[in-house]
Amino acid sequence: MGVNKLRNDNKMYDVIVIGAGPCGCIAARTLSKSGLEVLLLEKCKLPRYKSCSGILIEKSMRFIEQQFGCSVPQSVTCTPVDNCGMIFTDDVGREYRFTSRGLNIWRDKFDYWLLSFVQEAGTEIRAESSVTSIQEAEEIVEVLVNGNIEQARYVIDCSGAVGINKRDEASSILLPNGVKRIGGKNGVCKSSHKNVITFQTYNKGVIDLDPHYFYAYLQPELSGYDAWFNVKDDMLVLGVASVEQRDIRKYYEAFETYMRDRHGLCVSEQLRTDKWLIRNIEPPFEIDYGESGILMAGENAGFLNPMGEGISCGMESGYYAALAIISDFNNRQGVIEIYKRNVSEVKNYMQRQWQLVGRMSKKFSFMYQ
């Protein structure tokens, strides 16, 4: 079905995309290239700093090459540029090596590079724009951003693990005149699931490990989720994760000791630390696709591969959300159904990856059902 844009006397966008990460950038570019009027909102100043392991897996590289007709530029990478895959260590110290093509990148540079394609496509981009609520009334979605209301026919929420639109039954409030507000106070709904807290350090030092691999450690004494190591521009990056903030320091100290004893880690200086949140993925791998005029994509929808790899499924889900809107613009229910069908393989891939980890580790055995 062709696009028949709704317009009125007020400013009206066809789609508002929230979040200028890989998911939001791909969605906004795809929509704008189809001729729709798109507003991309990002809460941070651009280019935004993003805490992330910063590994592009082969799946992501292929997707980028298909979408843009070019490879990721050297300017967004860090050394060692080439990533050769992942090495998992299970509960009892056994190693599992998975070799594949990858790139070592800085997320702020990579995301900003993606944003250049969004700008070229004609998307209106607004940085330092904080969204505090999303409301839906009839055929219009209203987004409260920096205290002002912006209107669109659709919203794609790509705002990550701490996204705007975390729904549960208690937080969907019916307002007068048929307006439905998603969220609690000010329209912001609190998620019913616990996110995973991540903590990592960047260090000067030496270690007896191949810097071309990303290492994940599944031993329960080292982390409440996983622990990891990689190298970026000669900095040794060590990280741990847990659903409980109080356990982070304990896990980090145990992991640092383990790496010192097992791999000869010697830190001469700690340069900086990072903290962020990722989605806690659990069976039955439920995805929040959204409803009516509000679509969810990326980590906000529940797409996240082990161990915290969200770039590939973020880009794919953002792309398929945009394609669904383009395919059946005037049929909201049809858009959701198209999105579900098109993104099903992304979900299946994620589920297979988590089940593989579940077979390697008792900690994640509940993933393999």
Side-chain angles (χ1 to χ4, degrees):
M1 181 183 296
V3 172
N4 180 20
K5 303 179 186 179
L6 176 67
R7 290 287 182 265
N8 58 25
D9 293 334
N10 299 319
K11 177 68 174 179
M12 171 72 67
Y13 295 93
D14 295 311
V15 188
I16 294 175
V17 179
I18 303 172
C23 180
C25 283
I26 294 294
R29 176 180 182 266
T30 303
L31 292 160
S32 293
K33 286 188 67 179
S34 76
L36 294 174
E37 189 168 351
V38 182
L39 172 63
L40 175 62
L41 300 172
E42 168 55 47
K43 67 180 179 181
C44 299
K45 185 178 180 180
L46 296 170
R48 62 175 199 167
Y49 177 74
K50 170 67 176 177
S51 297
C52 178
S53 61
I55 300 296
L56 283 186
I57 64 174
E58 186 169 10
K59 197 168 190 282
S60 298
M61 295 165 64
R62 288 199 307 267
F63 183 83
I64 289 167
E65 289 161 3
Q66 291 166 0
Q67 288 295 307
F68 304 131
C70 64
S71 300
V72 176
Q74 191 88 4
S75 60
V76 310
T77 63
C78 52
T79 57
V81 173
D82 294 323
N83 174 263
C84 295
M86 292 187 69
I87 298 176
F88 286 88
T89 301
D90 71 7
D91 312 60
V92 295
R94 291 173 300 200
E95 288 189 354
Y96 299 81
R97 185 182 298 258
F98 298 92
T99 302
S100 63
R101 181 175 69 118
L103 279 179
N104 197 5
I105 62 164
W106 287 116
R107 274 293 304 276
D108 55 344
K109 294 179 180 179
F110 174 71
D111 290 4
Y112 204 55
W113 175 69
L114 290 180
L115 199 63
S116 68
F117 291 94
V118 180
Q119 191 169 29
E120 288 175 6
T123 303
E124 181 180 340
I125 303 168
R126 291 190 206 166
E128 299 179 271
S129 297
S130 180
V131 174
T132 49
S133 75
I134 305 171
Q135 300 179 18
E136 186 175 358
E138 299 178 356
E139 295 297 306
I140 297 173
V141 183
E142 294 186 339
V143 177
L144 185 62
V145 50
N146 291 349
N148 298 312
I149 292 177
E150 298 291 351
Q151 295 182 330
R153 285 288 302 274
Y154 290 92
V155 165
I156 303 180
D157 190 348
C158 310
S159 51
V162 291
I164 306 303
N165 240 17
K166 300 301 187 199
R167 295 182 182 86
D168 58 28
E169 289 299 319
S171 63
S172 185
I173 303 169
L174 189 63
L175 300 177
N177 303 319
V179 176
K180 186 167 70 173
R181 169 173 291 171
I182 306 301
K185 185 178 180 181
N186 297 326
V188 180
C189 171
K190 303 301 182 184
S191 171
S192 58
H193 70 270
K194 270 193 172 184
N195 285 318
V196 176
I197 302 161
T198 67
F199 172 78
Q200 70 178 13
T201 63
Y202 293 79
N203 308 277
K204 286 184 179 179
V206 294
I207 194 169
D208 186 21
L209 285 172
D210 185 342
H212 293 88
Y213 283 87
F214 184 91
Y215 298 82
Y217 299 87
L218 307 180
Q219 297 97 312
E221 66 272 17
L222 302 182
S223 175
Y225 197 72
D226 74 317
W228 61 91
F229 171 81
N230 66 324
V231 177
K232 302 185 85 65
D233 284 345
D234 298 323
M235 292 182 287
L236 310 182
V237 183
L238 294 95
V240 297
S242 175
V243 294
E244 300 294 344
Q245 172 66 41
R246 64 177 180 268
D247 293 332
I248 291 291
R249 177 53 58 182
K250 173 190 71 175
Y251 283 133
Y252 183 81
E253 291 174 355
F255 183 49
E256 191 175 38
T257 299
Y258 172 88
M259 297 297 277
R260 186 166 56 244
D261 295 343
R262 181 75 175 265
H263 300 295
L265 171 69
C266 180
V267 173
S268 58
E269 182 183 359
Q270 187 176 104
L271 301 172
R272 72 172 191 260
T273 64
D274 276 345
K275 285 185 180 179
W276 73 98
L277 298 176
I278 61 174
R279 188 73 177 262
N280 188 16
I281 304 299
E282 296 178 338
F285 304 98
E286 292 182 350
I287 300 297
D288 184 357
Y289 302 96
E291 59 184 11
S292 193
I294 304 171
L295 281 69
M296 313 282 273
E299 199 172 343
N300 191 27
F303 290 107
L304 187 69
N305 299 320
M307 307 298 296
E309 195 283 311
I311 297 176
S312 64
C313 50
M315 290 193 297
E316 289 179 306
S317 62
Y319 176 69
Y320 287 126
L323 282 189
I325 291 173
I326 295 166
S327 298
D328 208 356
F329 188 84
N330 296 305
N331 179 4
R332 286 183 160 192
Q333 189 54 44
V335 164
I336 294 292
E337 294 307 315
I338 293 169
Y339 178 38
K340 286 181 181 179
R341 289 196 303 270
N342 289 349
V343 84
S344 61
E345 181 49 38
V346 180
K347 178 185 176 182
N348 292 338
Y349 174 85
M350 178 185 80
Q351 185 169 337
R352 291 193 301 270
Q353 293 295 301
W354 278 110
Q355 289 174 342
L356 176 63
V357 173
R359 289 194 291 269
M360 286 191 289
S361 168
K362 289 182 180 178
K363 182 193 296 187
F364 292 97
S365 61
F366 64 93
M367 292 288 194
Y368 186 60
Q369 298 177 341

